């Protein structure tokens, strides 16, 4: 049988079956020796020859199996097998420009070298052999290079970088981020969090190990026949709004509640699962929780059926109890009723927000005013009394968490539909939520033990002020506390962007007004930097959605990227997500959103590159079909803006003879993006991708789109995938 040899040498008649063989042969014609030794002047045509030379000439004691590569000297940075840290160069470049505005840069410590942590040994997945472009001979992607003056960097866990392995990370603090105590400040030399996220991970396969500490699925939530009968009796009291009440079987109801606990709860932990009592729930809370859980069970018909009962029952309950003008004196029982009614409205909102019709998204927006009314009526900062017992603490913490999560949900509405927030962060003076270990404690004794080790929760406003304040005295916060604070910063960015927009030409009406550095922007960047430092100090922080402490810090990492993006472009105004039309969304983003090259935009593009490098490394198809389901919907929203901003940045820096000339940081980031695309689209050469200033943007947008084109639970997620494909279509025209 003949072997196909599609790669023809243009200098001689020889042909080859693989591109790398052609490239190696081509160097015999050109006498090119691209692999240079860092310790002597010798150069080689092949990487294996360089490795052999280094092993024998400069490291004779190494074993033959060793693949050791010496650390390059700053004076002679060669190509490396690992992608080098871009962080210090970007940060230094940015700081040199910012210092003219700020006077000093004490709040922006220099970026330290990464701390190596093995994560994954799986082979890079070849998701889709692509036939794009001509098979022009080009150097094979080396997946790494060194920056002048900086040693090789390694990938490590930070909120700016998604996890290399979503399901198996080591949660031992000594191997994750090192031991951070009160006496161990987060300094440039000890921190493992890249300042401003300005560090690119390697695409090389790495070590893989299974963590026995990964969070296990929560247990089944049973619903008895007696409980179901009780619910039907309670439904009969709402015959005026539900004339023909019916419920699924108790087994279906059990599945739905379990779906809520395993699918939704960890993203918004406002219910205390260890003491959850199905029999004592109010009817609105039970029905709305079941309707939401049915979505995670992939039972849309059951979800709609429950939603169509839960919504009128909840609205009628609000009318009878809270809008009748006969509200009784507030006591502990009424606090519980208010709490569970707010939670019910939140769950109904969570069901309807992500669909165009089934149920319609505008119903979620209409429920916002009721949630606001109930929270304000009970007092934004009023909490139940605590007598020191576990039960009173649970009630108080649940009320606090519910109010703060509602604040975050209002901010999600702002992110999705660009509507003003219903409540401002400055209105809250509550303490931030406790740690997840305290909240997850299954008994009073375990809770007391965790409580004894807890430093306590800072006040919301104190923690927020410290992030923006003049000193580095920043409060620690829990995973949920960090989630609330990053939403607060995003709200500030939204308000600042809207207030600062000038009546300039319509063509640029969605360009961010924050292109020029201002003291306000410097303060926001300072707050984001300090937030990252606090994230590091949090013993529960992780960028794995399956962390034993929940996915909150993983979701917060995506929101951090979104914050950096929104400092550059008002994507929310330009997206038009409320149209639910992918072509209209793509057209608006293409025509109404502009970006301007600069340090801040480069930093945002770095965050976008971080976010995409992991799916590329694991395999786009694998992540799309098995991992994205673990993510919050906020990840899809952030990914849309990541994709568009990175595509626009690539358009701006790949034009012929860019003016001004590309900085070193822009060049390094462009080359990294090229390597990612060539890793996935086999046969695409560097020359072909850079032939026009949109081709690389198209390729990167298609990669993002493929992450969100599977059969997802929420229609909004699929809409984002279709919109990105439409955006790529527009770029190709």
């Amino acid at each position: 049988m003949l072997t196909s040899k599609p790669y023809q040498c243009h200098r001689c008649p020889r042909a080859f079956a693989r591109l790398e063989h052609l490239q190696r042969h081509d160097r015999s014609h050109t006498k090119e020796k691209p692999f240079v030794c860092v310790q002597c002047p010798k150069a080689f045509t092949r990487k294996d020859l360089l490795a052999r030379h280094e092993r024998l000439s400069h490291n004779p004691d190494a074993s033959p199996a060793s693949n050791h590569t010496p650390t390059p000297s700053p004076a002679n940075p060669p190509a490396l097998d690992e992608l080098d840290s871009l962080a210090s160069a970007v940060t230094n470049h940015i700081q040199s420009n910012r210092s003219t505005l700020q006077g000093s840069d004490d709040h922006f410590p220099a970026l330290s070298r990464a701390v190596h942590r093995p994560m994954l040994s799986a082979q890079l997945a070849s998701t889709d052999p692509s036939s794009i472009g001509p098979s022009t001979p080009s150097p094979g992607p080396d997946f790494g290079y060194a920056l002048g003056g900086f040693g090789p960097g390694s990938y490590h866990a930070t909120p700016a970088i998604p996890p290399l392995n979503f399901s198996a990370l080591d949660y031992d603090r000594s191997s994750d981020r090192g031991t951070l105590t009160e006496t161990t400040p987060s300094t440039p030399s000890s921190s493992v969090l890249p300042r401003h996220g300005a560090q690119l991970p390697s695409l090389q396969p790495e070590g893989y190990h299974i963590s026995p500490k990964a969070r296990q699925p929560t247990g089944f939530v049973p619903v008895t026949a007696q409980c179901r009968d009780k619910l039907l009796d309670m439904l009969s009291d709402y015959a005026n709004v539900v004339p023909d009440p019916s419920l699924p079987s108790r087994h279906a109801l059990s599945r739905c509640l379990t779906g809520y606990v395993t699918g939704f709860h960890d993203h918004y932990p406002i219910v205390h699962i260890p003491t959850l009592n199905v029999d004592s729930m109010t009817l609105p809370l039970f029905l709305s929780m079941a309707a939401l859980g049915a979505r995670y069970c992939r039972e849309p018909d059951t979800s709609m059926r429950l939603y169509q009962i839960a919504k009128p029952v909840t609205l009628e309950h609000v009318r009878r109890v809270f809008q009748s003008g006969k509200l009784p004196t507030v006591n502990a029982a009424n606090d519980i009723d208010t709490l569970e009614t707010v939670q019910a409205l939140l769950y109904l909102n969570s069901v309807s927000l992500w669909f165009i019709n089934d149920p319609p998204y505008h119903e979620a927006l209409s429920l916002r005013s009721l949630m606001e009314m109930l929270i304000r009526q009970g007092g934004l900062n009023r909490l139940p009394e605590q007598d020191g017992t576990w039960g009173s603490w649970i009630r108080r913490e649940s009320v606090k968490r519910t109010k703060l999560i509602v604040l975050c949900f209002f901010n999600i509405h702002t992110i999705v539909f660009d509507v003003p927030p219903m409540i401002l962060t400055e209105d809250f003076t509550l303490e931030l939520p406790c740690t997840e270990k305290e909240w997850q404690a299954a008994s009073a004794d375990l809770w007391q033990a965790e409580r004894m080790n807890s430093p306590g929760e800072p006040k919301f406003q104190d923690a927020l002020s410290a992030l923006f304040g003049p000193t580095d005295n920043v409060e620690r916060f829990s995973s949920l506390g960090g989630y609330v604070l990053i939403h607060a910063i995003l709200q500030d960015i939204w308000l600042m962007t809207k207030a600062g927009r000038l009546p300039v030409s319509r063509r640029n009406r969605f360009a961010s007004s924050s292109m020029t550095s201002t003291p306000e922007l410097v303060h926001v960047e300072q707050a984001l930097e300090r937030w990252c430092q606090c994230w590091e100090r949090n013993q529960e922080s992780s960028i794995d959605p399956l962390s034993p402490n929940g996915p909150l810090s993983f979701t917060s990492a995506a929101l951090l990227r979104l914050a950096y993006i929104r400092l550059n472009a008002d994507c929310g105004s330009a997206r038009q997500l409320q149209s639910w039309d992918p072509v209209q969304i793509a057209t608006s983003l293409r025509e109404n959103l502009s970006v301007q090259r600069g340090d801040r935009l480069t930093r945002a593009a770095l965050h976008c590159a971080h976010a995409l490098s992991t799916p590329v490394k694991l395999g786009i198809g694998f992540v799309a079909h098995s991992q994205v389901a673990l993510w919050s919907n906020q990840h899809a929203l952030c990914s849309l803006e990541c994709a568009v901003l990175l595509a626009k940045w690539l358009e701006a820096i790949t034009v012929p003879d860019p003016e001004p000339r590309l900085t070193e940081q822009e060049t390094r980031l462009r080359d990294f993006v090229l390597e990612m695309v060539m890793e996935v689209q086999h046969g695409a050469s560097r020359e072909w991708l850079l032939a026009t200033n949109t081709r690389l943007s198209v390729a990167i947008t298609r990669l993002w789109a493929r992450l969100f084109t599977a059969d997802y639970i929420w229609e909004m997620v699929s809409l984002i995938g279709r919109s990105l494909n439409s955006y790529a279509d527009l770029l190709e025209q």
Side-chain angles (χ1 to χ4, degrees):
M1 184 175 65
L2 295 177
T3 302
S4 174
K5 295 183 177 181
Y7 299 104
Q8 175 71 47
C9 178
H10 63 283
R11 293 184 174 91
C12 70
R14 295 195 63 182
F16 300 87
R18 297 171 62 182
L19 178 59
E20 56 265 34
H21 293 167
L22 171 61
Q23 294 166 348
R24 182 184 301 175
H25 165 77
D26 192 56
R27 287 196 289 271
S28 67
H29 291 293
T30 63
K31 307 301 182 184
E32 177 188 0
K33 295 182 178 181
F35 303 103
V36 182
C37 179
V38 299
Q39 301 184 51
C40 70
K42 288 191 176 182
F44 301 87
T45 59
R46 292 169 20 204
K47 189 186 296 185
D48 60 320
L49 297 179
L50 170 62
R52 180 176 181 273
H53 161 76
E54 290 175 334
R55 186 174 65 248
L56 297 178
S57 301
H58 303 299
N59 192 23
D61 296 331
S63 64
S66 172
N67 193 26
H68 172 74
T69 301
T71 302
S73 65
N76 185 22
L80 297 175
D81 287 338
E82 289 186 311
L83 186 64
D84 182 63
S85 167
L86 192 58
S88 297
V90 173
T91 304
N92 292 344
H93 183 59
I94 291 167
Q95 289 176 347
S96 66
N97 289 339
R98 185 190 297 119
S99 61
T100 61
L101 168 71
Q102 200 177 10
S104 65
D105 246 336
D106 296 337
H107 301 313
F108 297 87
L111 180 60
S112 64
R113 182 178 301 180
V115 177
H116 173 69
R117 180 170 177 231
M119 307 288 275
L120 181 73
S121 65
Q123 291 291 330
L124 285 167
S126 301
T127 55
D128 222 8
S130 175
S131 59
I132 68 164
S135 299
T136 305
S138 63
D142 193 27
F143 295 106
Y145 36 71
L147 283 176
F150 306 99
S154 302
Y155 180 91
H156 63 283
T158 78
I161 311 173
L164 292 183
N165 172 24
F166 296 117
S167 59
L169 294 178
D170 185 359
Y171 295 103
D172 183 357
R173 295 291 301 182
S174 62
S175 62
D176 190 13
R177 280 177 301 281
T179 303
L180 286 174
T181 64
E182 293 289 347
T183 59
T184 308
S186 180
T187 64
S189 59
S190 66
S191 172
V192 298
L193 176 66
R195 301 283 71 87
H196 306 298
Q199 187 172 36
L200 290 175
S202 169
L203 294 184
Q204 293 287 6
E206 301 173 36
Y208 175 82
H209 61 276
I210 297 293
S211 168
K213 300 179 183 179
R215 189 177 76 253
Q216 299 300 315
T218 311
F220 188 71
V221 181
V223 176
T224 64
Q226 292 80 3
C227 178
R228 181 178 179 276
D229 291 341
K230 177 185 174 183
L231 293 170
L232 286 171
D233 288 341
M234 295 167 69
L235 263 177
S236 64
D237 292 336
Y238 292 89
N240 61 320
V241 292
V242 185
D244 185 21
S246 64
L247 289 176
S249 70
R250 68 182 184 90
H251 301 294
L253 292 173
S254 296
R255 286 198 308 275
C256 294
L257 293 186
T258 302
Y260 163 84
V261 172
T262 58
F264 182 86
H265 167 75
D266 288 326
H267 296 285
Y268 304 96
I270 58 178
V271 172
H272 194 251
I273 298 300
T275 58
L276 178 64
N277 185 351
V278 174
D279 291 327
S280 66
M281 282 185 187
T282 60
L283 182 62
L285 179 61
F286 184 100
L287 293 174
S288 59
M289 184 182 289
L292 179 56
R295 288 288 175 179
Y296 288 94
C297 295
R298 292 189 175 270
E299 298 184 28
D301 292 340
T302 302
S303 178
M304 275 300 298
R305 181 177 166 194
L306 287 167
Y307 176 86
Q308 289 168 348
I309 298 174
K311 184 180 175 234
V313 166
T314 303
L315 295 181
E316 177 65 10
H317 182 73
V318 170
R319 187 190 68 80
R320 292 178 184 179
V321 177
F322 302 102
Q323 294 180 321
S324 62
K326 301 177 181 179
L327 191 65
T329 303
V330 175
N331 53 39
N334 289 326
D335 277 350
I336 292 175
D337 191 5
T338 303
L339 170 66
E340 296 197 356
T341 304
V342 172
Q343 290 174 341
L345 289 168
L346 178 64
Y347 298 153
L348 293 173
N349 199 293
S350 302
V351 174
S352 58
L353 182 63
W354 312 108
F355 297 93
I356 183 173
N357 284 321
D358 298 319
Y361 75 95
H362 60 75
E363 292 189 1
L365 297 178
S366 69
L367 295 173
R368 300 194 317 153
S369 58
L370 287 178
M371 286 194 290
E372 181 200 11
M373 180 269 294
L374 289 179
I375 288 180
R376 290 191 183 277
Q377 193 173 52
L380 284 178
N381 299 295
R382 182 183 179 277
L383 296 176
E385 295 296 329
Q386 183 179 353
D387 57 15
T389 63
W390 189 37
S392 66
W393 176 86
I394 291 170
R395 188 181 309 114
R396 182 182 180 91
E397 182 70 19
S398 184
V399 171
K400 176 175 45 174
R401 284 172 169 245
T402 299
K403 290 181 177 182
L404 291 175
I405 287 294
V406 168
L407 171 68
C408 294
F409 236 82
F410 287 159
N411 202 55
I412 293 172
H413 294 155
T414 299
I415 293 171
V416 178
F417 298 115
D418 202 44
V419 294
M422 299 289 289
I423 301 177
L424 298 179
T425 57
E426 64 189 34
D427 295 334
F428 281 98
T429 59
L430 301 168
E431 297 92 358
L432 287 175
C434 69
T435 66
E436 292 310 298
K437 286 185 178 180
E438 292 175 73
W439 187 239
Q440 295 170 5
S443 68
D445 291 341
L446 293 174
W447 166 74
Q448 190 66 44
E450 291 294 340
R451 195 72 179 160
M452 291 289 290
N453 295 326
S454 172
E457 300 83 42
K459 292 277 190 179
F460 184 9
Q461 292 305 319
D462 291 344
L464 194 57
S465 297
L467 293 178
F468 286 90
T471 67
D472 290 326
N473 237 349
V474 182
E475 300 277 3
R476 291 174 180 262
F477 50 68
S478 63
S479 299
L480 182 53
Y483 175 80
V484 172
L485 287 171
I486 195 66
H487 265 297
I489 296 174
L490 278 166
Q491 186 186 97
D492 282 351
I493 293 174
W494 189 88
L495 293 170
M496 181 175 61
T497 302
K498 298 303 180 186
R501 183 181 293 157
L502 299 175
V504 293
S505 65
R506 186 172 182 81
R507 175 176 172 272
N508 291 324
R509 65 192 181 103
F510 294 129
S512 175
S513 61
S514 59
M515 297 306 178
T516 303
S517 290
T518 64
E520 291 78 14
L521 282 175
V522 171
H523 288 147
V524 172
E525 289 185 316
Q526 168 190 291
L528 293 174
E529 170 72 9
R530 289 177 173 174
W531 183 92
C532 290
Q533 294 173 2
C534 293
W535 186 96
E536 252 184 7
R537 295 190 184 104
N538 175 22
Q539 295 293 309
E540 296 180 345
S541 289
S542 171
I543 49 170
D544 182 3
L546 290 181
S547 162
N549 301 308
L552 287 168
S553 52
F554 173 68
T555 301
S556 298
L559 295 172
L560 174 70
R561 289 193 291 270
L562 185 67
Y564 277 113
I565 290 170
R566 296 235 168 159
L567 289 177
N568 290 272
D570 187 8
C571 296
S573 299
R575 283 182 321 195
Q576 302 292 312
L577 280 178
Q578 64 273 18
S579 70
W580 292 87
D581 181 349
V583 175
Q584 183 174 335
I585 293 168
T587 302
S588 180
L589 286 168
R590 177 68 176 149
E591 296 178 353
N592 296 323
L593 189 69
S594 62
V595 297
Q596 181 176 323
R597 282 176 56 199
D599 295 332
R600 187 175 294 113
L601 181 63
T602 301
R603 182 159 60 249
L606 277 164
H607 280 268
C608 300
H610 280 312
L612 186 60
S613 65
T614 291
V616 168
K617 183 170 185 175
L618 293 177
I620 295 287
F622 167 74
V623 173
H625 288 87
S626 64
Q627 303 298 306
V628 174
L630 303 173
W631 300 359
S632 165
N633 287 347
Q634 293 162 87
H635 277 273
L637 295 168
C638 298
S639 295
L640 172 61
E641 299 193 16
C642 277
V644 172
L645 184 127
L646 186 57
K648 286 184 176 289
W649 177 81
L650 288 169
E651 279 189 85
I653 60 100
T654 55
V655 296
D657 302 318
E659 184 62 36
R661 296 179 59 184
L662 298 187
T663 65
E664 181 184 2
Q665 294 72 39
E666 289 173 322
T667 302
R668 298 296 188 185
L669 182 54
R670 179 204 62 190
D671 290 347
F672 177 67
V673 174
L674 280 166
E675 289 174 353
M676 282 198 293
V677 172
M678 289 188 292
E679 167 62 28
V680 177
Q681 297 184 344
H682 305 291
S685 69
R686 175 190 179 93
E687 293 76 15
W688 185 83
L689 287 169
L690 294 177
T692 70
N693 77 311
T694 58
R695 190 167 286 171
L696 187 56
S697 296
V698 169
I700 213 73
T701 306
R702 297 283 190 207
L703 292 184
W704 278 109
R706 284 167 57 186
L707 282 176
F708 303 104
T709 52
D711 179 24
Y712 293 119
I713 297 172
W714 310 106
E715 186 177 358
M716 177 72 75
V717 178
S718 298
L719 173 68
I720 287 172
R722 297 196 306 273
S723 300
L724 286 173
N725 272 322
S726 295
Y727 188 83
D729 292 340
L730 292 176
L731 292 176
E732 286 180 330
Q733 291 176 5

